[in-house]
Amino acid sequence: MANYVDLTGMKFSRLTVVGRNGTDKKGQAVWDCLCECGNHTNSVSYKLNHGEKRSCGCLQKEITSKRVKTHGLYGTRIHNIWRHMKERCDNKKCLDYHNYGGRGIRYCDEWNDLLEFKTWADENGYNEKLTLDRIDVNGNYEPSNCRWANKKVQANNTRSNRLIEINSETKTMTQWSDETGVKAGTIWWRLENGYVGNDLIHKGRLNRR
């Protein structure tokens, strides 16, 4: 086992090291730390010694909150979008957590800062009628995987909207409905009842199966 300096009892900014908590995948000692706010958090020695880990996360939240209020963004629509994005990924009590953080969805470090998020939003087509959408619904919240989209685009991009292949062409149920005029509910019913191919988008009545 690699040698390490015992940090038990030492204080690093808001953190006091309580004791050793195993080793990470790289063989680094992991320490259980008690934050001044009362929460526990883990950290490796390097981050503590170099000031990269100074709290359980509460310090960054306080800094961010002060910046938000200083720049007049508190309570704005962009602030609410940013806050809800973080809650879905971080807060296990959030109703949508199981669809986001519970599935391993995260947001990039850059977007932990509201001003960075707002800058990206302004440079990438944000307006009051659009909402934040992940291009890959299984991917993270990050610039390369996000866009501003209307409700219809988002509806086409949900996990629940099935991809259907007809004549070697793959589209969502909603897209097939738009193209053929057949109601999405009708296409869904036919799928559930064993219809395939062109039968799914046939405008006339079909013989029941």
Side-chain angles (χ1 to χ4, degrees):
M1 182 179 295
N3 294 325
Y4 64 90
V5 176
D6 188 356
L7 302 183
T8 303
M10 297 180 66
K11 187 174 178 61
F12 300 88
S13 189
R14 294 189 177 188
L15 299 176
T16 299
V17 180
V18 177
R20 179 81 181 275
N21 193 19
T23 305
D24 69 4
K25 294 180 180 180
K26 296 181 180 180
Q28 302 178 92
V30 177
W31 301 96
D32 174 24
C33 303
L34 177 64
C35 185
E36 289 179 359
C37 72
N39 290 328
H40 281 260
T41 187
N42 289 327
S43 179
V44 296
S45 302
Y46 179 87
K47 290 187 176 181
L48 291 170
N49 287 321
H50 289 79
E52 293 184 17
K53 185 78 171 180
R54 296 185 292 162
S55 73
C56 66
C58 62
L59 179 58
Q60 181 60 44
K61 289 180 181 178
E62 289 179 15
I63 293 172
T64 300
S65 178
K66 289 178 181 178
R67 293 188 68 188
V68 169
K69 293 176 181 179
T70 298
H71 291 274
L73 296 175
Y74 186 80
T76 62
R77 184 172 185 266
I78 198 70
H79 170 247
N80 288 332
I81 291 172
W82 172 79
R83 178 169 58 84
H84 291 151
M85 171 193 75
K86 297 184 69 178
E87 286 183 350
R88 288 192 292 267
C89 295
D90 294 340
N91 187 359
K92 293 182 179 180
K93 294 182 180 180
C94 176
L95 293 177
D96 289 328
Y97 177 81
H98 66 286
N99 286 323
Y100 295 87
R103 292 202 301 121
I105 305 300
R106 300 289 181 263
Y107 52 87
C108 63
D109 291 341
E110 178 184 351
W111 285 0
N112 195 48
D113 186 326
L114 172 58
L115 293 182
E116 292 290 342
F117 177 74
K118 184 179 186 302
T119 297
W120 171 84
D122 291 339
E123 293 175 351
N124 287 273
Y126 169 78
N127 69 54
E128 296 290 323
K129 296 181 179 179
L130 302 179
T131 54
L132 183 63
D133 181 47
R134 284 170 300 124
I135 298 167
D136 175 2
V137 295
N138 294 310
N140 293 329
Y141 284 103
E142 54 191 359
S144 62
N145 190 46
C146 287
R147 62 187 172 186
W148 294 103
N150 57 35
K151 291 182 179 180
K152 191 167 187 178
V153 170
Q154 281 209 323
N156 281 331
N157 198 32
T158 61
R159 287 192 298 151
S160 61
N161 200 343
R162 302 188 191 183
L163 291 174
I164 303 170
E165 182 177 343
I166 302 175
N167 298 328
S168 299
E169 189 172 2
T170 301
K171 297 180 180 180
T172 66
M173 190 184 305
T174 303
Q175 289 169 335
W176 281 118
S177 176
D178 288 344
E179 183 173 307
T180 64
V182 178
K183 292 182 179 179
T186 299
I187 298 175
W188 178 87
W189 183 90
R190 290 174 178 175
L191 273 172
E192 293 297 305
N193 285 275
Y195 291 91
V196 296
N198 286 315
D199 283 348
L200 294 170
I201 55 176
H202 181 70
K203 286 188 176 182
R205 288 193 173 185
L206 298 172
N207 293 327
R208 294 183 64 90
R209 296 189 175 186

